[in-house]
Amino acid sequence: LRVRDVLEQRLREPVEWEDDHGAGRWLGGASVGIAIHPVDGRDVDALVRAADLDMYRRKQAARNGAI
């Protein structure tokens, strides 16, 4: 596994939840973008942009059933 994938898995586990409340099922979670210094950028602005792009890529991949 890539470092990025391991980080995503570790961050995702504590924020994903599922619960039944009688009337229906509730699902919760969070979207995470990961940027690693210096691979994805050397300054804060570049790292934030890279993390944003990573988050949107991952969200699109999840919509397409890739995750």
Side-chain angles (χ1 to χ4, degrees), residues 18-67:
E18 182 178 331
D19 200 1
D20 288 321
H21 283 288
R25 193 169 109 196
W26 296 72
L27 300 171
S31 298
V32 175
I34 299 170
I36 300 171
H37 178 274
V39 175
D40 296 316
R42 295 192 174 272
D43 60 49
V44 172
D45 290 333
L47 289 167
V48 169
R49 279 192 304 273
D52 259 358
L53 288 172
D54 184 59
M55 179 185 66
Y56 289 114
R57 265 187 247 126
R58 288 171 183 277
K59 287 176 80 166
Q60 186 61 44
R63 282 188 210 107
N64 292 336
I67 294 179

